[in-house]
Amino acid sequence: PVRPASEGFSASCPDSWADGVVARLALAALVGTAGRAEALERARRELPTRSRSELLGELLVADDSRAGELAEWARHLELPVHGWNSVVRIELDNQAQLAPGEVARVELLARAGEIAQRQASAGGERWYLARATGVVLLVRMSRSDPGPRAGRADLERVRGVLAELAARLPGARLRAGLGSAHQGLAGLRASALEARAAVRALGRSSREGPRALAFDAVGVRRMLLEWYASETAQEAVRVELGPLERLGPARAEVAIRTLRTYLDEQGSVVRTAAALHLHRNAVAYRLQKIFDLLQLDPQDSDQRLALQLACRARLLW
C-alpha cells in the first residue's frame, strides 16, 4: 500500500513476493509519482492565495502607470479591488527578540499573517493577506459601501485577531491600526496610509497587552490622529505630559483624564467635577497638583491649547 507520511509518501510490500527487487523498484517509482502529484495539487491550491497576497502588496506600492495592468490581474484573481477597501496593519514591535535572524523573522511574520487572516475570516467575512515587509497587512474588500457602522465591527474583529495572535505567539508585543473603507485602487492605498497613521499614533507597544486603534472617518478625532502620526507631534506630547507620565500608568491616566476634562469644560471646576462624578474640592486639589507638576500657567491660552491637544492625542486609545 502507498500511504501519505509526515514527509512525502511511503510504500511497502510483503517479503514473500516472488520478485521482491522488481516490486520494490516499481513501488519506489509509484511513490515518486504520488509525491509529485500531491505537490502539484498543493501548489495549485496555494497559488491563488499567494498570487492575491503578492498582487495586493504591489497595489499598495505601485505607481499609477501600472494601475490598469494590476487591476486586470486582480480581475483574473477575483479580487474586487474597485469596490470598498479597508486595510488593517499589524506590527510586532519585538519581532527581533522573538525570531533572531532575518529568515526567522520572515517565517514569524508569515505565520502571524496566516493566523491573522484565519481569525479575521472566522466569522464568514473574507479578508485577504497582503504581502508586505516587516508587518502584517489584511485587506477587506466589499462590492458596496459597508457604511459607518462597519468600522466598529471591524475594530472589534481586529481586537479579536490581536488576542488570537497574543495567544499563539507568546511574548509578542502587538499593535494594530484600522483604516477607513475607501473606494477603488486609490481608496485601497488611502486606507493603508490611515492604518499606518493609526499604528504610529499608538506609539511603541508596551507590555500591557496588544492595542488597536481605528482611523476615524470624521471629526476632530481624525484630524488629531493625522497630526499625532508625525514624530514631531508625538515628541511634543511627550514633553507636555512627561511629568504626569512619570507618575506611573494608573496615576498618569487619572491625571491626564482629569486635565482633559477640565480643559474641555473651559476651565470650570464645577462642570469638571460633575463630569467626573467627584466633589469639586477634590477636583480643585487634583488640578493644583497637576499644574504644579507641569509648571504651567493654566490661564495662558497658548499653554492651555497645547495641553488640550496633548491630552486628546494621548487618550486617543
Side-chain angles (χ1 to χ4, degrees):
V2 179
R3 300 186 179 89
S6 59
E7 297 180 3
F9 286 78
S10 65
S12 61
C13 67
D15 290 335
S16 60
W17 281 15
D19 198 341
V21 174
V22 174
R24 286 182 173 81
L25 287 174
L27 286 175
L30 179 60
V31 165
T33 301
R36 287 191 295 274
E38 194 274 340
L40 286 172
E41 175 61 19
R42 185 170 63 249
R44 185 191 67 78
R45 292 194 306 266
E46 293 178 355
L47 180 60
T49 298
R50 290 204 305 269
S51 297
R52 290 186 183 109
S53 176
E54 291 169 2
L55 172 60
L56 285 172
E58 282 199 54
L59 283 169
L60 289 171
V61 298
D63 55 40
D64 293 338
S65 63
R66 295 197 61 209
E69 174 191 346
L70 294 175
E72 182 63 18
W73 186 10
R75 187 180 68 81
H76 284 300
L77 292 176
E78 300 178 349
L79 284 175
V81 293
H82 292 297
W84 293 78
N85 305 304
S86 302
V87 177
V88 174
R89 181 186 180 97
I90 302 173
E91 297 192 5
L92 287 76
D93 285 339
N94 61 335
Q95 57 184 274
Q97 298 173 6
L98 295 174
E102 185 175 351
V103 174
R105 285 196 292 274
V106 169
E107 292 175 348
L108 172 66
L109 286 169
R111 184 183 174 209
E114 292 172 2
I115 294 170
Q117 183 186 26
R118 188 164 54 249
Q119 181 65 24
S121 303
E125 195 170 49
R126 186 71 180 272
W127 286 77
Y128 299 93
L129 184 64
R131 185 174 182 179
T133 302
V135 299
V136 173
L137 293 180
L138 297 176
V139 181
R140 189 203 56 196
M141 296 179 172
S142 305
R143 296 189 184 278
S144 58
D145 186 352
R149 293 184 180 179
R152 297 178 185 175
D154 286 346
L155 185 58
E156 287 305 310
R157 185 173 287 105
V158 171
R159 287 170 176 156
V161 168
L162 291 184
E164 180 68 10
L165 283 170
R168 299 284 296 277
L169 303 174
R173 295 171 64 181
L174 302 153
R175 53 181 173 154
L178 170 63
S180 308
H182 296 281
Q183 191 172 18
L185 292 177
L188 175 67
R189 295 174 188 173
S191 187
L193 289 173
E194 291 179 356
R196 181 174 180 268
V199 170
R200 292 189 66 183
L202 281 172
R204 301 294 290 181
S205 61
S206 67
R207 298 181 185 277
E208 298 173 4
R211 294 179 296 167
L213 180 64
F215 190 96
D216 227 342
V218 294
V220 174
R221 181 183 171 95
R222 176 169 183 160
M223 290 187 290
L224 276 172
L225 198 50
E226 288 177 324
W227 170 72
Y228 192 50
S230 73
E231 294 182 3
T232 302
Q234 291 180 28
E235 178 61 25
V237 171
R238 283 193 291 269
V239 170
E240 290 286 346
L241 301 179
L244 301 184
E245 295 286 7
R246 288 191 284 274
L247 293 172
R251 293 179 64 194
E253 185 80 6
V254 170
I256 293 170
R257 288 193 181 280
T258 302
L259 179 58
R260 175 196 163 165
T261 304
Y262 172 75
L263 295 170
D264 286 352
E265 295 295 343
Q266 301 179 349
S268 169
V269 173
V270 174
R271 290 198 298 270
T272 301
L276 296 176
H277 306 290
L278 295 172
H279 192 278
R280 62 182 182 182
N281 290 343
V283 170
Y285 176 78
R286 186 183 292 178
L287 287 168
Q288 185 60 53
K289 291 288 187 182
I290 289 170
F291 283 111
D292 286 347
L293 284 171
L294 295 175
Q295 297 183 343
L296 294 175
D297 179 6
Q299 303 306 316
D300 186 303
S301 59
D302 288 340
Q303 290 184 353
R304 285 166 63 92
L305 176 60
L307 274 179
Q308 190 169 22
L309 285 172
C311 289
R312 281 178 169 263
R314 165 63 174 76
L315 295 173
L316 277 172
W317 59 92

